[in-house]
């Protein structure tokens, strides 16, 4: 090192102190300025938050004022107390908010005075609103106060003052934000300017001193670096030769040698792609191993081009370094993509001066002279290993070929021996097969005879089954006709019975009224008993008619919109007096989630519920009856009839739905009835797409639940009635309009012995108006027409 390059220790210490002390003082000043700025920011930010709160409360006051005005207007228009709820809730909030705003704006006297005016005006408007509400509540003329516009003027003045107050607060907010913004930029600019000046001085002085120091160290470092590089390169070359020698130790195959060489190159020279080509006995280059190829197999035997760079390297015997490769060159592939190498090195390998292969390396970096020197040094070692591997391969192939010939000779001898044994075995098997075939033929003849007998027996069974099937079909047809005859008989008889029964009921009613007063008390009791028994008989006939219609498939259903509330109210008006006579509580419960309306047959729905409620009242002595309506999943509605009556034992809960069956079937049972109500109700529920379920225990009451779809549209279409025979007499309209079930036979003609209806004489000309009125009786039965007329 030159003498003028000596370093002054005092100068070095001075530079170090300056570069440490000056930044330290600058940092302390910066921290103080930053803390002062933060304090100022927090103070201004507190005032900004305060202004935001005032603006928010002013907006809330405006909202509450609008709610109170809307509530007052709604109540004045509708007289509905529900509209006053927002007014009553907002009034205390309004007073509280105005008081808070007056306190929070104490720093601004003008704003405080404005808010006090707002409070006074609001109180005046509230007094006006109270007066208007009271007038509306007492039935007075609330519209007169509204027409006077006093309330509107007060409301508009409050709104104007609130708008002005909000505008003042918004102006204060903008001024404070602008002041904060200006101070922030001023502080940041000053801080940056100071830092830049301090850092600039330090950088200028440091650069001047460091440049002097670097010039002193430069020459010594250059000489030292050159010597170290030379030693490192020599050590690197020797280390590479040693590592390759360790890699190739042992008796390796040609493929293993190729993989070992390429693995060493990949580890030591860092190529991205590599290949090893070896000359075979014919002089053709075969690729025996690869590294980093895109989609290539390391063991794939690919022939190299003789006229390419690889073939040229074999002929020249020197290392070829190719740069500036084009994009169409072979690709380097990975899981993320593929690309082309930047430079290529092709180095021939040799043994005893004879080139026996080529190693090809592709790099994504610049290839240095050190890399080329290493490849030149390794050519001989790689070539010797390749020759050794090829010699071992040829030797192994010769040994395997000799062993294969010996094995083939032994196999041929074994095949000859086996062939002789198979010929003898085949002769024996042929003899046995002939005997076996003769036995099989005899067995087949016996089997054919047996199968023929079984086929005859099967034909006889099929004929018997067909005859039985025809007989069953005939019995089914007879059963269907018997069911239809029964239904038609019940329908006809119910109609024929109701005509004289209606006459008996009307006559019994007229006798029980005793308008002429000529009947004794006992005779009146008899008439009332006849009327009550006739009503019971009429209900029985109606139930039998409904049951026959259901069984015959003639019951017509008419879906329509049904109001649930209106229907249960009607049921409550009907059954509450009946329950009251027995001193029972009767309650109707409609769940909030229950639908307000449904689509079903209103008449049949009421019939089912009346049956259930009648049974509940009849079988309950103490307690009460409840009708509950609830919504069920799947857009369904449940009607539950619950009572506290005698209950039903579990073993009898199924038979109560059978026709003419009751839980108490003895002749001395306590409760009357025919046992048809629940049977008809269950069939009607089924036709309406629903079900009836019972939950009961003896002595603990019962709950019958009718579940129906909220929208029922599955209406069975009624088929037209078949034409009556020509010789059939005219039937009553109620029976003739019924249609048979689908698939049923045509109804049988009425007997010839039925008398034809008598014609009623036309007495319109003989009628004498009584007090200006004329009574018209329309009836096809003469006797019953007279009863109706009386």
């Amino acid at each position: 090192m030159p003498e003028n390059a000596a370093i002054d220790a005092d100068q070095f210490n001075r530079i170090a102190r300056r570069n440490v002390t000056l930044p330290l003082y600058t940092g302390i000043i910066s921290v103080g300025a930053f803390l002062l700025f933060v304090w100022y920011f927090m103070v201004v930010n507190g005032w900004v938050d305060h202004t935001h709160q005032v603006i928010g409360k002013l907006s809330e006051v405006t909202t509450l004022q609008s709610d109170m005005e809307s509530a007052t207007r709604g109540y004045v228009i509708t007289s509905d107390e529900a509209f006053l709820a927002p007014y009553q809730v907002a009034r205390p909030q309004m007073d509280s908010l105005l008081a808070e705003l007056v306190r929070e704006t104490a720093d601004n006297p003008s704003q405080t005075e404005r808010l006090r005016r707002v409070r006074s005006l609001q109180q005046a408007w509230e007094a006006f609103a109270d007066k208007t509400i009271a007038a509306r509540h007492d039935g007075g003329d609330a519209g007169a106060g509204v027409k006077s516009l006093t309330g509107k003027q007060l409301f508009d003045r409050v709104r104007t003052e609130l708008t002005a107050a909000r505008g003042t607060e918004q102006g204060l907010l903008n001024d404070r934000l602008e002041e904060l913004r200006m101070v922030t930029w001023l502080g940041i600019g000053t801080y940056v300017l100071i830092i830049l000046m301090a850092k600039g001085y330090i950088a200028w002085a440091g650069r001047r001193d460091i440049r002097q120091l670097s010039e002193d160290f430069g020459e010594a470092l250059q000489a030292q670096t050159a010597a170290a590089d030379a030693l490192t390169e020599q050590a690197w070359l020797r280390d590479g030769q040693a590592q390759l020698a360790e890699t190739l130790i042992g008796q390796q195959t040609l493929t293993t040698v190729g993989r070992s060489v390429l693995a060493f190159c990949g580890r030591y020279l860092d190529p991205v792609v590599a290949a090893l080509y070896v000359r075979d006995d014919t002089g053709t280059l075969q690729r025996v191993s690869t590294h980093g190829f895109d989609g290539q197999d390391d063991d794939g035997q690919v022939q190299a081009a003789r006229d390419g760079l690889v073939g040229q390297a074999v002929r020249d015997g020197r290392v070829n370094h190719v740069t500036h490769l084009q994009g169409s060159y072979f690709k380097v592939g990975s899981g993320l993509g593929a690309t082309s190498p930047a430079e290529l090195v092709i180095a021939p390998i040799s043994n005893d001066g004879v080139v026996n292969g080529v190693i090809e390396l592709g790099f994504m970096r610049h290839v240095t002279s050190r890399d080329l020197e290493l490849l030149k040094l390794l050519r001989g070692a790689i070539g010797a290993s390749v020759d050794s591997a090829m010699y071992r391969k040829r030797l192994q192939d010769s040994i395997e070929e000799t062993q294969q010939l010996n094995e083939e000779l032994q196999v041929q001898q074994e095949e000859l021996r086996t062939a002789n044994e198979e010929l003898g075995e085949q002769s024996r098997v042929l003899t046995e097969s002939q005997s076996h075939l003769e036995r099989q033929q005899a067995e087949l003849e016996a089997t054919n005879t047996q199968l023929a007998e079984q086929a005859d027996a099967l034909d006889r069974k099929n004929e018997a089954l067909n005859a039985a099937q025809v007989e069953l079909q005939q019995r089914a047809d007879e059963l269907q006709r018997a069911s239809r005859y029964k239904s038609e008989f019940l329908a006809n008889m119910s109609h024929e019975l109701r005509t004289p029964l209606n006459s008996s009921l009307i006559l019994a009613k007229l006798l029980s009224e005793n308008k002429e007063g000529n009947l004794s008390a006992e005779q009146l009791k008899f008439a009332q008993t006849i009327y009550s028994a006739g009503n019971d008989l009429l209900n029985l006939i109606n139930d039998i008619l409904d049951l026959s219609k259901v069984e015959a498939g003639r019951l017509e259903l008419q879906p329509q919109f049904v109001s649930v509330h209106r229907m249960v109210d009607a049921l409550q008006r009907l059954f509450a007096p009946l329950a009251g006579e027995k001193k029972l509580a009767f309650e109707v419960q409609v769940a909030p989630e229950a639908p307000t309306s449904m689509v079903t047959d209103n008449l049949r729905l009421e019939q089912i519920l009346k049956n259930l409620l009648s049974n509940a009242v009849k079988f309950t002595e103490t307690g009460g009856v409840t009708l509950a309506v609830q919504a069920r999943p799947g857009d369904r509605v449940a009607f539950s009839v619950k009572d506290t009556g005698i209950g039903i034992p579990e073993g009898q809960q199924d038979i109560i739905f059978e026709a003419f069956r009751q839980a108490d079937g003895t002749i001395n049972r306590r409760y009357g009835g025919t046992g048809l109500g629940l049977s008809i109700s269950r069939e009607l529920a089924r036709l309406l797409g629903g079900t009836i379920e019972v939950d009961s225990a003896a002595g603990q009451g019962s709950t019958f639940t009718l579940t129906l779809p909220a929208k029922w549209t599955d209406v069975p279409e009624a088929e037209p009635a078949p034409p009556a025979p020509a010789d059939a007499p005219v039937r009553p309209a109620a029976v003739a309009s019924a249609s048979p079930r689908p698939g049923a036979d045509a109804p049988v003609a009425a007997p010839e012995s039925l008398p034809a209806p008598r014609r009623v004489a036309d007495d319109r000309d003989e009628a004498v108006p009584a007090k200006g009125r004329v009574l018209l009786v329309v009836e096809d039965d003469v006797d019953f027409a007279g009863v109706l007329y009386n």
Side-chain angles (χ1 to χ4, degrees):
M1 184 178 293
E3 295 180 358
N4 56 4
I7 300 175
D8 187 354
D10 295 337
Q11 181 182 3
F12 186 83
N13 292 332
R14 185 175 64 255
I15 294 172
R17 285 194 302 271
R18 181 185 61 210
N19 290 337
V20 172
T21 304
L22 185 57
L24 179 62
Y25 289 158
T26 304
I28 293 173
I29 295 173
S30 299
V31 169
F34 178 75
L35 292 176
L36 181 62
F37 174 74
V38 168
W39 173 82
Y40 174 78
F41 181 81
M42 291 178 65
V43 172
V44 176
N45 192 54
W47 282 107
V48 170
D49 291 342
H50 171 76
T51 305
H52 277 299
Q53 292 177 1
V54 172
I55 293 174
K57 290 181 179 180
L58 288 172
S59 300
E60 187 175 356
V61 167
T62 302
T63 302
L64 291 175
Q65 183 195 20
S66 299
D67 292 344
M68 294 174 68
E69 195 273 337
S70 299
T72 304
R73 183 171 60 251
Y75 177 74
V76 170
I77 294 173
T78 64
S79 296
D80 189 353
E81 295 289 341
F83 280 96
L84 289 179
Y87 177 84
Q88 296 169 353
V89 172
R91 186 167 183 174
Q93 296 179 359
M94 175 71 78
D95 296 338
S96 177
L97 282 176
L98 289 175
E100 291 178 3
L101 286 172
V102 171
R103 291 194 302 270
E104 292 179 359
T105 57
D107 59 305
N108 191 344
S110 60
Q111 190 76 329
T112 302
E113 184 62 27
R114 179 180 287 113
L115 290 173
R116 287 174 177 169
R117 289 197 303 272
V118 168
R119 185 163 60 180
S120 300
L121 292 171
Q122 179 63 25
Q123 291 174 353
W125 183 87
E126 290 176 359
F128 169 77
D130 291 340
K131 182 178 179 181
T132 303
I133 291 171
R136 182 60 173 171
H137 183 269
D138 296 337
D141 186 9
V146 175
K147 294 178 181 179
S148 65
L149 300 180
T150 303
K152 184 178 184 306
Q153 293 173 357
L154 291 173
F155 182 83
D156 293 341
R157 290 182 61 188
V158 172
R159 182 61 61 87
T160 302
E161 293 291 344
L162 289 175
T163 302
R166 194 161 49 246
T168 301
E169 291 296 331
Q170 189 64 44
L172 290 174
L173 177 62
N174 294 335
D175 294 341
R176 287 165 179 167
L177 290 176
E178 182 63 28
E179 180 182 355
L180 178 61
R181 190 180 301 108
M182 181 183 66
V183 173
T184 300
W185 282 111
L186 181 60
I188 292 173
T190 304
Y191 175 76
V192 171
L193 180 61
I194 294 173
I195 293 299
L196 289 177
M197 292 175 61
K199 295 297 182 181
Y201 174 74
I202 294 173
W204 174 80
R207 182 176 179 278
R208 180 191 61 189
D209 297 335
I210 291 173
R211 184 173 55 186
Q212 183 63 39
L213 292 175
S214 64
E215 291 175 357
D216 295 340
F217 280 107
E219 296 178 2
L221 290 177
Q222 289 177 0
Q224 226 174 14
T225 301
D229 290 342
L231 293 175
T232 301
E233 184 173 350
Q234 292 297 324
W236 184 78
L237 293 174
R238 287 194 299 271
D239 187 49
Q241 290 176 308
Q243 291 187 21
L244 179 63
E246 292 177 358
T247 303
L248 298 177
I249 292 176
Q251 296 183 359
Q252 302 181 10
T253 63
L254 185 59
T255 302
T256 308
V257 169
R259 290 179 178 177
S260 300
V261 171
L262 295 184
F264 163 76
C265 293
R267 183 175 63 254
Y268 208 74
L269 295 177
D270 194 25
V272 293
V273 64
L276 178 64
Y277 302 90
V278 176
R279 295 181 65 181
D280 57 12
D281 296 336
T282 62
T284 303
L285 286 173
Q286 298 289 340
R287 191 171 69 204
V288 298
S289 185
T290 62
H291 170 77
F293 270 39
D294 184 14
Q296 299 295 331
D297 187 2
D298 290 348
D299 295 331
Q301 300 295 322
V302 181
Q303 184 175 1
R306 295 182 178 180
D307 297 333
L309 294 177
V310 175
Q312 187 65 35
V314 173
R315 291 191 292 269
D316 294 346
R318 64 182 181 84
V319 177
N320 190 7
H321 180 202
V322 182
T323 59
H324 304 294
L325 296 178
Q326 299 297 324
S328 60
Y329 206 73
F330 64 87
K331 300 294 184 182
V332 179
S334 69
L336 300 178
T339 186
S340 300
E343 296 188 5
L344 183 66
V345 175
I346 302 174
I349 57 176
S350 61
N351 184 32
D352 295 335
V354 178
V355 176
N356 60 355
V358 176
I359 183 170
E360 184 178 15
L361 304 175
F363 297 87
M364 295 298 295
R365 61 177 179 83
H366 174 65
V367 179
T368 63
S369 59
R370 184 181 69 169
D371 300 329
L372 299 176
E373 183 65 24
L374 177 63
L375 290 175
K376 293 177 182 178
L377 294 175
L378 300 180
R379 292 167 50 184
I382 298 175
S385 298
V386 169
D387 272 355
S388 298
M390 293 180 67
Y391 174 76
R392 284 192 295 272
K393 184 177 183 302
R394 287 193 293 269
L395 182 61
Q396 183 66 27
D397 291 342
S398 299
I399 294 173
E400 291 178 355
E401 184 177 357
T402 303
Q403 291 177 350
Q404 184 176 2
L405 291 175
N406 290 332
E407 292 175 356
E408 291 178 356
L409 181 59
Q410 292 177 359
V411 170
Q412 290 176 358
Q413 292 175 353
E414 183 66 24
E415 288 177 352
L416 288 175
R417 185 181 62 81
T418 304
N420 292 329
E421 294 177 353
E422 289 179 353
L423 287 175
E425 182 67 21
Q426 289 176 359
S427 178
R428 185 183 62 80
V429 170
L430 286 174
T431 303
E432 294 179 354
S433 298
Q434 184 176 2
S435 301
H436 182 66
L437 287 174
E438 292 174 354
R439 290 193 300 271
Q440 283 184 342
Q441 184 176 3
E443 292 175 356
L444 286 174
E445 292 176 355
T447 302
N448 289 334
T449 303
Q450 185 179 3
L451 288 175
E453 295 175 354
Q454 291 178 354
D456 293 339
L458 184 61
D459 290 339
R460 290 193 296 272
K461 291 182 179 179
N462 288 335
E463 291 176 358
L465 288 175
N466 292 332
Q469 184 175 4
V470 171
E471 183 178 358
L472 288 175
Q473 183 62 36
Q474 292 175 352
R475 291 184 180 181
D477 294 340
E478 292 176 358
L479 181 61
Q480 187 176 9
R481 282 195 297 272
S483 176
R484 187 179 70 254
Y485 293 157
K486 181 195 72 173
S487 300
E488 291 179 353
F489 172 75
L490 291 176
N492 292 334
M493 290 304 298
S494 63
H495 176 76
E496 297 299 334
L497 288 173
R498 278 191 296 182
T499 300
L501 183 59
N502 285 332
S503 300
S504 300
L505 287 175
I506 295 176
L507 292 175
K509 183 65 175 177
L510 293 175
L511 289 175
S512 64
E513 291 177 355
N514 194 18
K515 295 182 178 179
E516 297 180 1
N518 57 355
L519 297 179
S520 64
E522 186 175 3
Q523 290 174 336
L524 290 176
K525 182 178 180 181
F526 291 161
Q528 292 173 355
T529 302
I530 294 173
Y531 181 75
S532 176
N535 273 326
D536 293 340
L537 182 58
L538 181 61
N539 291 331
L540 175 59
I541 293 172
N542 290 333
D543 289 344
I544 293 175
L545 179 60
D546 287 342
L547 186 60
S548 66
K549 286 183 178 180
V550 171
E551 290 181 351
R554 299 179 177 180
L555 190 64
E556 297 183 359
L557 302 176
Q558 298 295 332
Q560 57 184 318
F561 282 97
V562 179
S563 173
V564 175
H565 291 279
R566 187 179 303 167
M567 181 184 62
V568 297
D569 288 343
L571 292 174
Q572 186 176 21
R573 289 192 300 270
L574 178 62
F575 285 95
L578 299 178
E581 292 179 0
K582 298 183 66 175
K583 298 182 180 180
L584 301 176
F586 186 80
E587 184 179 1
V588 174
Q589 299 175 354
V590 180
E593 69 276 7
T596 58
S597 63
M598 56 189 298
V599 178
T600 188
D601 190 313
N602 185 39
L603 178 62
R604 299 306 175 183
L605 174 58
E606 287 188 351
Q607 182 177 354
I608 297 172
L609 294 178
K610 287 178 180 179
N611 282 336
L612 298 178
L613 290 170
S614 296
N615 288 342
V617 174
K618 180 171 67 174
F619 293 105
T620 303
E621 298 295 337
T622 60
V625 177
T626 302
L627 171 61
V629 184
Q630 297 175 333
R632 290 292 172 84
D635 196 19
R636 300 178 74 83
V637 186
F639 298 86
S640 299
V641 178
K642 182 178 181 181
D643 62 65
T644 58
I646 61 175
I648 306 170
E650 184 176 357
Q652 298 179 354
Q653 291 180 8
D654 292 333
I655 66 173
I656 61 174
F657 288 100
E658 299 178 7
F660 304 103
R661 294 293 299 272
Q662 293 183 337
D664 183 9
T666 61
I667 60 175
N668 59 347
R669 62 180 184 266
R670 181 179 178 183
Y671 301 96
T674 62
L676 292 177
L678 289 178
S679 178
I680 295 174
S681 297
R682 184 179 63 177
E683 293 300 323
L684 292 178
R686 179 182 60 80
L687 293 176
L688 293 177
T691 59
I692 295 180
E693 299 175 354
V694 60
D695 181 13
S696 179
Q700 299 181 7
S702 304
T703 300
F704 287 83
T705 302
L706 169 64
T707 304
L708 297 176
K711 293 182 180 180
W712 173 75
T713 57
D714 187 11
V715 185
E717 296 182 357
E719 296 185 359
D727 58 348
V730 179
R731 294 186 180 184
V735 178
S737 63
S739 58
R741 290 176 296 174
D745 296 335
V748 178
E752 294 289 343
S753 58
L754 289 178
R758 292 177 295 172
R759 181 176 300 276
V760 181
D762 188 355
D763 59 351
R764 286 179 291 179
D765 297 333
E766 301 175 4
V768 179
K771 299 181 180 181
R773 294 179 296 174
V774 176
L775 179 63
L776 175 63
V777 178
V778 181
E779 175 59 42
D780 60 353
D781 187 271
V782 177
D783 297 332
F784 188 55
V787 173
L788 290 177
Y789 177 79
N790 293 332

